[in-house]
């Protein structure tokens, strides 16, 4: 809590902006920040105690501003467990955005498709998740200021938010699949045997983020929505070896649709705010 308080104090010295909705931008989505009427940007590197993102293509800053008059905070670049950070560090930004005022959280990511009906370029709304292959971000002393010791996780992804996103997709003619996301540790892509196991366990798509952030957010009382961009077929589903390049290229190609969906769904979801 001490680090979190220090981060909060620093950001509050930079801006008194109170975001209601937080959005984590995954691979290829960074430019969504251009849609925001920006009030203030805060670089992660300037925040004392804040972990730094090390992945190429991830910018590493908070963008505070308005999206169609709704006060939002965007994370341009997230912190990944595979970078070597503890789970506490990985979810620190989520908790910080909560303390800054955000009540709703949109998590976006790039993911490999496991279920056969998923194709590269598809957008998938998360209906559930499997996080059993990475440690829980709640291990360690409980932060009572944020939430309870043993939080319920029977509905991590908020059904009302999901309905808003589905309706927006329909209206904008954007095909939207649904499915279960599994967080793997990374940074290596999975083996075909692991993918077969994940499929048997009920996973539709696999990635290296998001599930731990969703847990921290639910713990802290946020309503969470998750959307994956399927950037590739998971290992062994197709014959081609996986590459970060392929993931980035597909994410960039799908970015326009992803932007359009977020641009309508985020302001619409403001109706759910208390
Ligand atoms: N596996 C894990 N993470 C990913 C993948 C994948 O196939 N694609 C994009 N992120």
């Amino acid at each position: 809590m001490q680090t979190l308080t220090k981060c909060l104090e620093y950001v509050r010295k930079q801006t008194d902006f109170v975001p209601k909705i937080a959005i984590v931008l995954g691979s290829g989505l960074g430019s969504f920040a251009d849609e925001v009427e920006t009030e203030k940007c805060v670089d992660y590197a300037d925040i004392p105690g804040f972990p730094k993102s090390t992945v190429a293509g991830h910018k590493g800053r908070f963008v505070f501003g308005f999206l169609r008059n709704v006060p939002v905070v965007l994370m341009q670049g997230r912190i990944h467990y595979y970078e070597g950070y503890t789970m506490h560090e990985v979810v620190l930004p989520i908790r910080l955005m909560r303390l800054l005022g955000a009540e709703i959280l949109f998590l976006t990511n790039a993911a490999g498709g496991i279920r056969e009906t998923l194709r590269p370029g598809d957008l998938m709304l998360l209906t559930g998740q499997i996080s059993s292959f990475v440690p829980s971000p709640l291990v360690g002393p409980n932060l009572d200021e944020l939430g309870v010791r043993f939080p319920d996780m029977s509905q991590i992804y908020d059904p009302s938010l999901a309905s808003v996103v589905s309706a927006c997709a329909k209206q904008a003619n954007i095909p939207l699949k649904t499915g279960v996301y599994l967080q793997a540790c990374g940074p290596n892509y999975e083996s075909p045997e692991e993918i077969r196991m994940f499929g048997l366990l009920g996973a539709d798509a696999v990635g290296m983020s998001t599930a731990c952030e969703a847990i921290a957010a639910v713990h802290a009382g946020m309503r969470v929505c998750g959307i994956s961009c399927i950037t590739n077929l998971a290992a062994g589903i197709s014959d081609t070896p996986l590459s970060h390049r392929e993931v980035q290229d597909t994410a960039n190609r799908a970015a326009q649709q992803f932007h359009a969906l977020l641009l309508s769904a985020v302001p619409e979801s403001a109706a759910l705010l208390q």
Side-chain angles (χ1 to χ4, degrees):
M1 200 68 205
Q2 228 173 10
T3 313
L4 198 51
T5 308
K6 247 203 296 187
C7 292
L8 181 65
E9 279 170 8
Y10 176 82
V11 175
R12 272 290 162 249
K13 262 188 228 148
Q14 308 305 307
T15 178
D16 57 7
F17 191 87
V18 178
K20 299 307 276 182
I21 301 181
I23 308 163
V24 180
L25 301 173
S27 296
L29 264 190
S31 63
F32 182 73
D34 298 342
E35 310 282 0
V36 171
E37 205 181 300
T38 306
E39 289 280 314
K40 178 79 189 172
C41 293
V42 179
D43 288 342
Y44 302 158
D46 293 338
I47 306 175
F50 197 93
K52 285 180 203 71
S53 175
T54 63
V55 187
H58 287 253
K59 244 183 187 150
R61 61 178 188 174
F62 289 112
V63 177
F64 296 91
F66 293 94
L67 201 61
R68 296 199 174 143
N69 293 323
V70 177
V72 299
V73 55
L74 309 189
M75 281 184 73
Q76 236 177 351
R78 57 154 52 90
I79 311 298
H80 296 90
Y81 184 59
Y82 63 72
E83 293 176 82
Y85 295 107
T86 65
M87 273 298 179
H88 283 193
E89 291 174 308
V90 173
V91 303
L92 180 139
I94 305 294
R95 290 169 159 168
L96 181 56
M97 293 190 293
R98 174 62 171 149
L99 293 175
L100 287 164
E103 295 170 22
I104 288 177
L105 174 66
F106 281 83
L107 295 169
T108 68
N109 61 50
I114 299 176
R115 197 177 69 221
E116 273 136 38
T117 47
L118 290 171
R119 294 285 131 201
D122 281 352
L123 298 183
M124 186 185 95
L125 179 66
L126 275 53
T127 55
Q129 70 178 37
I130 297 170
S131 61
S132 317
F133 295 92
V134 290
S136 167
L138 306 183
V139 168
N142 184 52
L143 302 184
D144 297 328
E145 298 89 333
L146 294 179
V148 296
R149 172 75 291 191
F150 300 108
D152 174 56
M153 291 289 150
S154 50
Q155 197 145 71
I156 293 179
Y157 295 99
D158 187 86
S160 313
L161 264 179
S163 298
V164 168
V165 175
S166 299
C168 289
K170 208 167 186 182
Q171 194 162 38
N173 238 337
I174 298 169
L176 184 65
K177 307 221 164 140
T178 54
V180 173
Y181 176 93
L182 183 145
Q183 180 171 3
C185 176
N188 53 286
Y189 291 113
E190 302 71 31
S191 69
E193 295 75 19
E194 285 166 331
I195 293 301
R196 200 153 8 101
M197 172 179 70
F198 292 164
L200 287 170
L201 293 177
D204 298 307
V206 59
M208 304 176 193
S209 66
T210 301
C212 58
E213 297 163 344
I215 290 174
V218 169
H219 172 249
M222 299 175 95
R223 300 171 91 154
V224 183
C225 177
I227 309 172
S228 292
C229 174
I230 305 300
T231 51
N232 57 283
L233 300 179
I237 308 278
S238 87
D239 299 335
T240 43
L242 305 193
S243 73
H244 186 50
R245 190 56 201 264
E246 179 197 2
V247 168
Q248 281 177 317
D249 286 350
T250 316
N252 289 336
R253 264 188 287 121
Q256 211 183 344
Q257 274 203 334
F258 215 153
H259 276 207
L261 180 57
L262 283 178
L263 201 51
S264 66
V266 172
E268 282 292 325
S269 73
L272 299 174
L273 291 166
Q274 274 102 24

